[in-house]
Amino acid sequence: MFDENQKNIIFFVAISLLLIIMLIAMVASIIYRYQNYRIDYLSNINKLKLNHENDMLRSQLEIQEQTFQNISREIHDNIGQKLTLAKLQLNTIDLSREPSSRSMVEDAVKIIGGAIRDLSDISRSMSSEVIMNSGFIKALEFEINQLNKTRLYSIILKITGDTEFMDSGKELLLFRIVQEALSNIMKHSEASEVSVDVHYTKADLSLIIVDNGKGFDSKSKSNANGLINMAKRAKMLDGVFEIDSKKGEGTTITIKIPLYESTKV
Amino acid sequence: MAFKFFLFNLQCAIICVSFIFSLVTLIRINTTANFKGLFLYCLFAFLLAILSFLEQNFYGVRYAAIFLNFSLIIQLILLGNFILLALTSVRSRRIFRIFLVIFVFILIGIIFQNKLTSMNSKAYSFSDLCLIIFAIFYYLQLFKDPPTQKLNNQPSFWVITGIFVGMGINTPLASFVDYFKIHNSIIDDYFFYIIMVNGYLIMHFFFIKGFICLMRTKKT
């Protein structure tokens, strides 16, 4: 069919085409490998960034806790002691000579006594020892009781599921998130009723805080410092933080964190 | 014969387009030294293409082979320098500069060892192989440096890929020229030149892609 010359030419052209295909395949494989190399590199960079951010946040939180501890100690040791001394001195006054001053002194003693109790409660609230010693639920109950005593709010705490104890550091972080949320409700929401639902499952802990306040546009305020801090703390716990609020419709904060390493949310 | 003419003229056309792109890029953008060198290569290829076109279509093939043989030296210097400047490591550049000088002298020696008026397949093979080696080192270096840019957006990558593919096609073909000349009466220098234009065609296509990429990168 083909003579020797033609066969050689056909062979030559076929080799050329094969060469072209091989070379283009080589280049395509280089491009593919480079893309994978770039993806791995960017992923490592992101991990390093995240680790660095977490380390920074951890340092900030440690400094914050240390500051709280110092203030708590100062309140207890200095201010509390001085007020106690003032109360004792008032109690030693002989009121039999001046009965008209009796009611004033008694009032002063009551006020100072109330101030000592309030300072003691603030000191306990700031101190991380409550959580370290009693656990997250006890600390939360204490905090909510303090707020209910003011009679400005009605805060209902509901706990469901079997309570699991976590690492005290994690419980402290979680407690601070709830403290921040309740503090924001007090400052901004004008709410009268708040419900705090704590639900334990085998894998995770869900915390839902709902208030009947004035609400806000959650999308526009998403970069507010307080919200960012809460979200960062939840992320440090490998959890999820969501906030849902509309003007005039109150606010719902949902925090879900895994109880164990292997059940990350 | 018609097919050979078509391929030959197509190569001239693509080289012209490549030269126009390089000229436009040079005028519009403040290009780096390696792209200025590439412009010089495109200019040289354009002049050679015009000369070959005139000789082929009007005067017959007479002196094309001499020019083509010496053009390999210019090609090795300019394209080798382009790849060299695309390397980011200073140490690699120094080493490659030394190798480039050595290769150029070896190439000159090979060219003068054979008849200047016929196609020197050894010179073609050697020159193309040197460029392939440089291109491979460029690819290896890509995987050592941090991949801060997407490969598609790097003009140097496209140009060097063009060199790699173009020379990769021509190198084995050039190596077989003498064998086929002996064993096949219809295969002559001109036939091989026409076949090898495919390598240059593809190379210049990639050059055009590289220039387009460069213009886009500078715009953004």
Side-chain angles (χ1 to χ4, degrees):
Chain A
M1 203 161 79
F2 298 111
D3 65 8
E4 197 63 36
N5 282 338
Q6 284 172 329
K7 277 184 189 170
N8 281 334
I9 290 168
I10 291 167
F11 171 74
F12 196 80
V13 171
I15 294 286
S16 310
L17 282 170
L18 193 65
L19 259 173
I20 292 170
I21 292 166
M22 271 173 59
L23 284 165
I24 289 174
M26 271 174 76
V27 172
S29 113
I30 287 168
I31 293 173
Y32 175 74
R33 281 183 181 203
Y34 186 82
Q35 301 290 47
N36 286 343
Y37 172 56
R38 189 162 180 266
I39 288 166
D40 287 342
Y41 174 78
L42 290 173
S43 160
N44 285 338
I45 293 279
N46 282 338
K47 270 186 204 163
L48 283 169
K49 256 190 208 168
L50 203 63
N51 286 342
H52 181 252
E53 271 174 20
N54 281 345
D55 288 341
M56 290 287 289
L57 187 61
R58 214 168 278 124
S59 304
Q60 275 173 6
L61 293 172
E62 276 172 20
I63 291 168
Q64 200 177 46
E65 287 303 320
Q66 195 59 43
T67 307
F68 282 163
Q69 287 290 105
N70 290 341
I71 294 171
S72 166
R73 212 173 296 121
E74 280 298 313
I75 291 172
H76 180 265
D77 294 348
N78 279 334
I79 301 168
Q81 298 284 9
K82 282 177 182 167
L83 285 173
T84 307
L85 191 59
K87 188 181 165 189
L88 284 170
Q89 281 186 338
L90 282 171
N91 278 335
T92 58
I93 292 172
D94 183 7
L95 295 167
S96 59
R97 285 185 192 173
E98 293 192 50
S100 59
S101 305
R102 188 189 210 106
S103 64
M104 282 170 68
V105 168
E106 278 172 359
D107 286 342
V109 167
K110 270 187 199 163
I111 291 167
I112 292 172
I116 292 169
R117 277 193 301 278
D118 289 343
L119 279 171
S120 177
D121 290 340
I122 292 169
S123 170
R124 278 184 71 187
S125 171
M126 290 184 87
S127 170
S128 52
E129 283 173 12
V130 178
I131 299 217
M132 302 295 191
N133 298 334
S134 317
F136 169 67
I137 298 295
K138 288 281 179 211
L140 193 57
E141 282 170 350
F142 174 78
E143 185 74 13
I144 288 171
N145 280 341
Q146 291 305 112
L147 292 169
N148 279 335
K149 272 184 198 172
T150 62
R151 304 235 172 120
L152 293 169
Y153 317 95
S154 165
I155 306 177
I156 300 166
L157 174 64
K158 199 168 127 191
I159 301 166
T160 51
D162 297 327
T163 310
E164 293 271 347
F165 285 100
M166 294 185 286
D167 172 58
S168 55
K170 284 186 177 174
E171 288 197 333
L172 180 61
L173 261 178
L174 187 61
F175 178 73
R176 293 293 180 216
I177 294 174
V178 177
Q179 246 186 351
E180 176 97 36
L182 292 173
S183 166
N184 284 341
I185 289 170
M186 258 126 264
K187 277 188 224 167
H188 306 296
S189 73
E190 296 173 14
S192 57
E193 287 171 13
V194 182
S195 82
V196 179
D197 291 330
V198 181
H199 177 62
Y200 284 90
T201 64
K202 282 186 182 171
D204 51 52
L205 161 67
S206 300
L207 238 152
I208 302 172
I209 305 169
V210 181
D211 71 66
N212 67 344
K214 62 181 183 182
F216 64 96
D217 184 4
S218 54
K219 281 173 193 164
S220 65
K221 291 264 185 179
S222 60
N223 56 353
N225 276 337
L227 295 176
I228 293 173
N229 279 339
M230 285 195 275
K232 278 186 181 174
R233 282 181 167 134
K235 208 174 170 187
M236 275 186 76
L237 296 167
D238 296 322
V240 167
F241 172 85
E242 283 167 4
I243 185 157
D244 181 25
S245 182
K246 280 181 192 155
K247 278 191 178 166
E249 293 182 18
T251 305
T252 303
I253 293 173
T254 309
I255 304 150
K256 198 172 181 184
I257 57 160
L259 290 172
Y260 308 104
E261 276 286 317
S262 56
T263 57
K264 279 185 187 173
V265 174
Chain B
M1 275 302 275
F3 181 66
K4 281 192 225 174
F5 275 114
F6 168 72
L7 271 181
F8 174 73
N9 291 331
L10 181 63
Q11 187 205 19
C12 292
I14 296 296
I15 289 173
C16 288
V17 171
S18 170
F19 167 68
I20 290 166
F21 266 94
S22 69
L23 187 63
V24 168
T25 311
L26 189 76
I27 293 167
R28 274 189 172 187
I29 299 165
N30 189 15
T31 52
T32 51
N34 54 347
F35 275 94
K36 283 177 181 155
L38 187 66
F39 163 74
L40 283 174
Y41 174 75
C42 291
L43 172 65
F44 175 76
F46 173 68
L47 293 171
L48 203 61
I50 290 176
L51 184 71
S52 305
F53 178 81
L54 289 171
E55 285 225 41
Q56 175 56 36
N57 289 309
F58 300 106
Y59 302 110
V61 180
R62 277 192 283 176
Y63 301 111
I66 301 173
F67 289 113
L68 291 169
N69 285 331
F70 281 104
S71 73
L72 293 173
I73 301 169
I74 309 288
Q75 178 180 276
L76 182 59
I77 292 170
L78 290 174
L79 294 183
N81 197 49
F82 181 91
I83 300 174
L84 203 140
L85 290 173
L87 299 173
T88 52
S89 160
V90 174
R91 191 165 162 260
S92 301
R93 277 193 202 177
R94 276 194 207 130
I95 294 168
F96 274 85
R97 202 162 274 139
I98 295 166
F99 275 111
L100 182 62
V101 171
I102 293 170
F103 289 158
V104 165
F105 279 109
I106 295 172
L107 182 64
I108 292 169
I110 293 172
I111 289 169
F112 280 101
Q113 267 178 8
N114 297 288
K115 243 169 92 176
L116 292 174
T117 51
S118 72
M119 188 179 149
N120 189 336
S121 64
K122 292 187 192 74
Y124 269 92
S125 308
F126 179 76
S127 158
D128 296 349
L129 197 61
C130 292
L131 289 171
I132 289 172
I133 291 168
F134 284 158
I136 289 171
F137 270 103
Y138 168 78
Y139 289 135
L140 287 173
Q141 180 226 254
L142 275 181
F143 289 93
K144 278 188 189 168
D145 292 342
T148 49
Q149 274 192 34
K150 278 187 186 176
L151 215 53
N152 293 349
N153 296 341
Q154 291 187 31
S156 303
F157 171 75
W158 290 112
V159 171
I160 295 171
T161 299
I163 295 169
F164 176 71
V165 174
M167 300 300 126
I169 293 165
N170 288 349
T171 307
L173 297 180
S175 310
F176 284 108
V177 162
D178 290 337
Y179 171 80
F180 276 100
K181 268 203 285 194
I182 293 165
H183 291 86
N184 198 314
S185 58
I186 71 161
I187 291 174
D188 57 6
D189 283 356
Y190 186 61
F191 179 87
F192 265 94
Y193 173 69
I194 294 300
I195 297 295
M196 283 192 346
V197 303
N198 291 320
Y200 289 106
L201 255 174
I202 292 169
M203 186 171 80
H204 280 275
F205 266 126
F206 276 98
F207 284 2
I208 292 168
K209 170 71 184 166
F211 286 125
I212 293 171
C213 198
L214 182 67
M215 282 195 269
R216 272 196 206 142
T217 312
K218 290 290 180 183
K219 259 187 198 168
T220 53

